[in-house]
Amino acid sequence: MRNIRLGSLLGIPILVNPTWFLLLAYVVSVLGFQVFPDQFEDENVGTYVVLSVGTALFFFFCIILHELAHSAVARLYQIPVKSITLFVFGGVAQITREAKRPLAELLMAAAGPAMSAVLAGIFFFLTWLVGRDADDPLDFTLFWLGITNLALAIFNMIPAFPMDGGRVFRSLLWLITRNQFRATLIAGWTGRLFGWALMALGALTLFGLDFAGTQQWTGVWTVLIGLFLESAARQSLAQNRAINVLNGFSVKELMQPDPPVVLGDAPVGLLARGVLDINPIVCYMVESGGKLAGILSGWQMRQVPEAQWDTTTAAEAMVPSARLHPVGPERRAADVLMEMEDGDLTHLPVVEDGRVLGVIGRDRMIMALRQAGMLRTAGT
Ligand SMILES: [Zn+2]
C-alpha cells in the first residue's frame, strides 16, 4: 500500500499510510459515539461529527509534532530523517540509523514524550484560560486534548523497547554498562515481555474481564498493539545479534581484495552478461583517466533493464566516487554497514595510505551473517 504525502514540516515529508484511516475511524468513533455524547447530551448529529473529526485531526497533528521532536534531535546529531508517517498504530519517524552514543539516543528518544508533555501543558493552560466550563464544547475539547497528550507521554515512557521509554531505558543501561549489545538485549526482552503482557490483557478484556470500564471489543486493539510491539522487539533483538556478529569482523576480513578494474565507457552488457549468473555479488572498480571514478556492483547492474545493457556504460550505471567515502581496513564491519545505510550505499572502497585495497559490500556482510547461522539462505 502506497503512502500518501500530506506535505512537509522542517523539510521532512509527512506521509499517511492507508492503514492510518482505520485508526482515524477508531478515534473518531470513540469520540463521536462515546466521549462527546456522554459529555453533551441531546446535541444534533452534525455537532458530534464536527467535534469528533476536528478533535481527532488535532490529536493526530499532536502526534506529528511528537515525531517531529524526535526528528529534530536526530538532525542535531546529523542523523538523516527520511519522513514522518502516520499509520495504524500511531506515528513513526523514519530515522535512518540508530545513535552512535547513548546520550544522543537518550535525548532523541525522550524528545517525543517531552513534546507530548509540553503539548498537554499548553492544552491545560488554554483550558484554564477559557474558563474550564465543562458544558462548553471548546473547553472540554481542549481539556480532552490535554489529557490525551499526557496519556501519550506516559504510555510512550513505558520501558519497553523499541518504544520511546524502552529506548531511554536502553540508553541508560548503555551509559552504565558501556555495552550496547547487552543493553539492547535487556531492553529488547523487556519489550517482548511487555508485548506479551498487552496481548494477555487484551485477551482478558475480550473475554469479558472488565478493566476500568473499557468495552470488550477494544481488547482486539490491545492484542494487536501487543503483537506489533512484540514483533518489533524481536526484530530489534535479531538486529542486535547481527551487529554483534559483524562487530567481530574487520573490514579487511570481509572485503573483496583487488576487485577487477574496468573503464568507464565499457557497456554494462559486457560486464554483466554471463557474469551475474555465476557471481551475483561481482563488483567492479570503474576507472577514468587513471583515477577511481566509481563502483559498479551486481546490484547496480541489475537496476539497468537487460534491454538497455548494451547502450548503458559502466560510468552511467555506477555509483560515482563523489558519493563514496573511503574506509580503513581495520574499521569494524558493523560501523561501516551503518554508514552504508546512512548514505543508501551498497559498497565502499577500502583504502589505506591512498592505495585502494579492495571493496566492502553489504552482500559480503550478509554472507558473514549467514555463515554465523543468522540468516536463512533466501534473502536480499
Ligand atoms: Zn515517540
Side-chain angles (χ1 to χ4, degrees):
M1 279 190 285
R2 283 193 57 162
N3 291 334
I4 304 155
R5 195 187 153 117
L6 291 185
S8 71
L9 283 170
L10 303 180
I12 300 167
I14 310 291
L15 310 176
V16 158
N17 186 272
T19 59
W20 169 73
F21 290 101
L22 260 174
L23 180 61
L24 176 67
Y26 173 68
V27 174
V28 169
S29 69
V30 168
L31 286 167
F33 289 114
Q34 208 178 316
V35 177
F36 284 115
D38 281 358
Q39 193 69 22
F40 312 106
E41 286 168 27
D42 308 323
E43 294 283 347
N44 63 43
V45 178
T47 311
Y48 291 140
V49 171
V50 170
L51 278 175
S52 9
V53 173
T55 309
L57 292 180
F58 249 99
F59 166 66
F60 285 110
F61 183 63
C62 292
I63 290 189
I64 291 176
L65 290 180
H66 170 117
E67 299 305 331
L68 208 58
H70 288 304
S71 309
V73 179
R75 280 216 178 150
L76 270 178
Y77 285 99
Q78 265 99 47
I79 303 174
V81 183
K82 281 191 183 151
S83 59
I84 288 173
T85 309
L86 291 175
F87 73 122
V88 70
F89 294 121
V92 63
Q94 269 88 27
I95 295 172
T96 48
R97 63 166 170 81
E98 300 200 325
K100 283 181 182 154
R101 291 182 202 289
L103 190 66
E105 157 143 87
L106 177 73
L107 296 175
M108 215 158 86
M115 171 61 91
S116 295
V118 167
L119 285 168
I122 292 173
F123 283 118
F124 288 140
F125 177 69
L126 289 174
T127 314
W128 174 78
L129 214 62
V130 294
R132 222 195 144 176
D133 180 358
D135 292 330
D136 184 84
L138 175 69
D139 295 20
F140 177 74
T141 303
L142 289 172
F143 184 69
W144 186 87
L145 284 168
I147 288 284
T148 312
N149 273 293
L150 185 64
L152 212 65
I154 294 169
F155 179 74
N156 272 293
M157 281 309 285
I158 292 172
F161 197 82
M163 282 169 59
D164 296 340
R167 290 184 179 278
V168 169
F169 179 45
R170 175 176 79 159
S171 62
L172 291 174
L173 290 171
W174 184 6
L175 266 172
I176 295 163
T177 63
R178 293 273 143 203
N179 185 329
Q180 188 186 9
F181 174 70
R182 204 175 301 156
T184 309
L185 196 67
I186 297 168
W189 274 99
T190 316
R192 291 192 74 179
L193 284 175
F194 179 67
W196 284 322
L198 273 186
M199 282 185 254
L201 183 75
L204 289 174
T205 311
L206 207 57
F207 291 122
L209 222 81
D210 191 37
F211 290 101
T214 45
Q215 284 173 332
Q216 227 166 313
W217 68 272
T218 59
V220 178
W221 204 258
T222 316
V223 169
L224 287 177
I225 294 175
L227 269 171
F228 171 69
L229 281 176
E230 200 276 335
S231 103
R234 192 151 28 90
Q235 274 173 36
S236 307
L237 285 167
Q239 192 190 10
N240 193 38
R241 279 200 303 278
I243 290 171
N244 199 40
V245 168
L246 290 180
N247 260 329
F249 288 99
S250 66
V251 162
K252 194 166 66 186
E253 289 170 298
L254 291 183
M255 73 178 184
Q256 176 188 349
D258 304 316
V261 178
V262 296
L263 290 174
D265 51 14
V268 169
L270 187 71
L271 307 171
R273 204 163 281 123
V275 179
L276 281 183
D277 297 329
I278 305 166
N279 183 12
I281 67 165
V282 65
C283 190
Y284 298 105
M285 293 275 191
V286 183
E287 211 180 72
S288 176
K291 280 194 345 204
L292 176 68
I295 289 180
L296 180 67
S297 71
W299 194 84
Q300 276 99 35
M301 290 192 275
R302 274 189 293 271
Q303 301 307 299
V304 181
E306 206 165 336
Q308 291 164 27
W309 272 8
D310 293 307
T311 52
T312 309
T313 63
E316 287 164 337
M318 71 183 183
V319 178
S321 50
R323 279 192 59 205
L324 305 168
H325 61 273
V327 293
E330 301 303 334
R331 296 275 315 275
R332 293 291 98 192
D335 294 340
V336 173
L337 180 63
M338 228 189 238
E339 288 174 17
M340 286 182 188
E341 280 176 6
D342 247 13
D344 247 336
L345 297 164
T346 56
H347 293 75
L348 284 172
V350 183
V351 176
E352 191 177 42
D353 303 327
R355 205 166 61 85
V356 179
L357 300 182
V359 62
I360 176 91
R362 289 192 197 199
D363 34 32
R364 294 260 165 164
M365 300 196 192
I366 289 167
M367 272 165 61
L369 292 176
R370 211 165 273 163
Q371 274 159 11
M374 286 269 327
L375 298 168
R376 265 165 250 132
T377 25
T380 45

